[in-house]
Amino acid sequence: VFLLINVTMTKFGKRFFAGCCSNFASKYNDVSNSLKIELFKDLNDMKKGEKISILEIGAGPGTNFKYFDREALVQTVEPNLHFAKYFDKNRSKFPKLDIKDIKEGFGEDLSAAGIADASVDAVVMTLVLCSVRDQLKCLEEIKRVLKPGGKFFYMEHIIGDEGSTIRTVHKLLMIGGFWPFMADGCCTDRATDKVMETAGFGNLEQKKYDLPISENAGIPFKLCGGIVKPHLMGVATK
């Protein structure tokens, strides 16, 4: 049975994950709407009247596009190209945005995706730092591609506080690589708030909070949302 699951996930896992994640991302937007509006306020206010350049790493289905309420050129880097059909559907809804074709790539090596030094005004990542292989290397790349004064906007789930039940659950889910295997590399035990404090940005503003989950949410979202309930969002300036 385990061999069958392993073969199935290896062959179809990324395609399956893209479909499930696209559905989850839509529901995640519903419960995080006010928080995302708050997060991206600075993005929408920066360089008023100009067309800025935005890079989204791990754009997935493109569910953040609705929060880019301004004229902008948007580049995206995504390791799982099975998101492409969901991405294209979302892209078509926002003609004001100049959204380029999705590029295959990883946050740890943005140069391989053609992202040049000091070339973007803003970098966006939501629910992605949980799954990159090397957070610090990824953050170094983000600093490299940002223009001086450029901003990094992020929203991530993080490991629960010391002594909490959810922290124990997070650690248990990582035993034997269970959760990363089931969720395409996602890790439940990352203290991204601490990592951001050591990443070397010129200015950092971040806050921890619990993901709000509606009583009317379906069981699958309540289950997954409960696992990733401890959250972090912030803006880091180069």
Side-chain angles (χ1 to χ4, degrees), residues 85-166:
K85 68 177 182 179
Y86 308 102
F87 175 94
D88 288 337
K89 182 179 179 180
N90 269 321
R91 172 168 62 169
S92 67
K93 300 175 184 176
F94 305 99
K96 185 169 70 172
L97 295 172
D98 181 9
I99 304 171
K100 302 304 182 183
D101 289 342
I102 194 169
K103 295 180 179 179
E104 185 173 16
F106 298 86
E108 296 91 337
D109 188 8
L110 296 172
S111 60
I115 312 299
D117 294 359
S119 62
V120 299
D121 296 294
V123 174
V124 171
M125 294 181 84
T126 60
L127 302 184
V128 178
L129 282 171
C130 60
S131 58
V132 299
R133 292 187 177 182
D134 188 328
Q135 286 188 320
L136 284 174
K137 189 173 182 180
C138 183
L139 293 170
E140 284 298 317
E141 276 290 270
I142 289 170
K143 289 189 292 181
R144 179 184 68 80
V145 304
L146 279 172
K147 297 176 183 178
K151 296 178 182 291
F152 170 43
F153 300 84
Y154 58 96
M155 179 177 283
E156 300 289 337
H157 68 85
I158 56 176
I159 189 168
D161 291 337
E162 289 282 355
S164 65
T165 301
I166 191 62

Side-chain angles (χ1 to χ4, degrees), residues 19-137:
C20 289
C21 186
S22 297
N23 182 58
F24 178 87
S26 178
K27 293 179 172 59
Y28 181 84
N29 267 2
D30 290 341
V31 300
S32 301
N33 186 61
S34 62
L35 291 158
K36 284 197 172 184
I37 290 172
E38 178 186 344
L39 174 65
F40 293 122
K41 183 181 185 302
D42 280 356
L43 184 149
N44 292 319
D45 288 344
M46 65 192 301
K47 295 187 176 181
K48 283 286 192 179
E50 296 183 34
K51 182 178 181 179
I52 66 168
S53 175
I54 300 171
L55 170 66
E56 182 166 4
I57 303 169
T63 48
N64 282 326
F65 297 156
K66 66 182 288 186
Y67 298 101
F68 304 162
D69 187 20
R70 61 170 304 143
E71 189 176 5
L73 182 150
V74 182
Q75 299 179 82
T76 58
V77 174
E78 168 58 55
N80 185 351
L81 292 187
H82 291 295
F83 277 110
K85 68 177 182 179
Y86 308 102
F87 175 94
D88 288 337
K89 182 179 179 180
N90 269 321
R91 172 168 62 169
S92 67
K93 300 175 184 176
F94 305 99
K96 185 169 70 172
L97 295 172
D98 181 9
I99 304 171
K100 302 304 182 183
D101 289 342
I102 194 169
K103 295 180 179 179
E104 185 173 16
F106 298 86
E108 296 91 337
D109 188 8
L110 296 172
S111 60
I115 312 299
D117 294 359
S119 62
V120 299
D121 296 294
V123 174
V124 171
M125 294 181 84
T126 60
L127 302 184
V128 178
L129 282 171
C130 60
S131 58
V132 299
R133 292 187 177 182
D134 188 328
Q135 286 188 320
L136 284 174
K137 189 173 182 180

